[in-house]
Amino acid sequence: MHHIVLGYDGSDFSMQALDWALDEAELRKLPLIVAHAWQWPYGKADEETKAHLRKAAEHVLWHGADCARQTSSGVQVDTDLYEGPAAEHLVGLSGGAALVVVGSRGLSALPRAVVGSVAGYVAAHAQSPVIVVRGPGPLPAATARGSIVVAETNPDETVLEFAFGEAELRQLPLAATVDLTEYSRRHPGARLRRSADHAPATLMVVGRKHPEHLLRHAPCPVAVAGPAG
């Protein structure tokens, strides 16, 4: 668990994810891996044609890494270029990651099969926690300093540990509807609210069993933690 992984495709949505991933890397004092995957989508192609596509992919990855280096305060930024499906590769990278961060292209507009998207697939199958950074439009939105909200009534230990850790790192209150005395002792820097009602959320945290509703409708980034599906 020695780095943060960012899935980056050059879109405005992945720029939102980049901002969040940099925050995580700075707060955790971990390096950031900017990962980009590419593949020829039209069947067989000659090597020259594929070389042009690879060159474009290299440019996308260079742009993301350069943005990260220019805006970070000393975070080590590495790159990962992969030929093949992005979702499966990010799941593979999650095995050695503290966290994977991906952008959302507005999952509320998709059919119910959220797992068909890169973000949904990674959230369901990654071996590390995943943050899906949702945004209301094509431009990054400023994140209000609200609460870290545990968005289920019977969260498992992985969900609670992640939520407490984020609240402590970001110095934000934690809102939940369960008794968290034990976790409060382990995370004295987390300020606990006993109810999630009417608490504006900076981040919502949920387990991997049923994250689909939040991934489609949450008004803020969603963290998915727990055993991989």
Side-chain angles (χ1 to χ4, degrees), residues 37-147:
W38 68 281
Q39 58 184 335
W40 180 255
Y42 305 116
K44 292 183 179 180
D46 59 72
E47 289 304 313
E48 182 179 356
T49 302
K50 290 180 67 175
H52 285 298
L53 188 59
R54 179 184 175 87
K55 183 64 70 175
E58 289 173 348
H59 179 75
V60 169
L61 182 60
W62 172 85
H63 178 265
D66 186 61
C67 288
R69 293 183 181 114
Q70 293 295 327
T71 57
S72 72
S73 57
V75 170
Q76 176 184 326
V77 178
D78 300 313
T79 58
D80 181 282
L81 183 65
Y82 175 74
E83 182 180 358
E88 287 86 347
H89 185 56
L90 288 172
V91 169
L93 291 176
S94 73
L99 178 67
V100 175
V101 183
V102 291
S104 165
R105 293 180 178 275
L107 295 177
S108 60
L110 294 177
R112 289 187 177 182
V114 176
V115 174
S117 72
V118 171
Y121 185 91
V122 175
H125 298 287
Q127 299 174 56
S128 68
V130 176
I131 293 182
V132 179
V133 182
R134 292 177 49 83
L139 296 177
T143 302
R145 287 186 60 81
S147 298

Side-chain angles (χ1 to χ4, degrees), residues 136-163:
L139 296 177
T143 302
R145 287 186 60 81
S147 298
I148 306 298
V149 177
V150 178
E152 56 184 337
T153 55
N154 292 300
D156 65 24
E157 290 186 6
T158 311
V159 171
L160 290 173
E161 282 291 346
F162 184 84

